[in-house]
Amino acid sequence: MTTTKPDVNPDGLYNQKQAAEALSVSRQTIRRYTASGVIKFESRNAGGTKVTTGERIVRCWRLMSDKKE
C-alpha cells in the first residue's frame, strides 16, 4: 500500500488493475478488499468490466492506512 494519497480524479472511473496500481497493491489484494467491503466495484457494461471511482480508491487508502497505525 502506498504511503502517499493516490493521485486519482475523484469522479474518474478506474478498473481493478488501475485501482491496484493507484494503491500500489496487487490485483489479488484488490479482490480481497472487494470481498471484505473495503472498496466497491460495479459492472459498467454488458462485457462485465468492473469499475470504481477515484473517491472510493482514496477512501480505501484512508481505511487501510488507518489500520496500519
Side-chain angles (χ1 to χ4, degrees), residues 12-58:
L13 296 177
Y14 299 87
N15 63 30
Q16 291 178 332
K17 180 180 178 185
Q18 293 166 324
E21 289 171 355
L23 292 167
S24 297
V25 297
S26 70
R27 289 172 70 181
Q28 181 61 37
T29 299
I30 290 293
R31 288 186 199 102
R32 284 195 302 269
Y33 289 170
T34 302
S36 64
V38 174
I39 191 168
K40 182 178 179 182
F41 285 82
E42 298 173 1
S43 292
R44 182 172 133 185
N45 57 28
T49 301
K50 294 183 181 205
V51 295
T52 193
T53 63
E55 181 179 347
R56 289 179 180 159
I57 291 171
V58 172

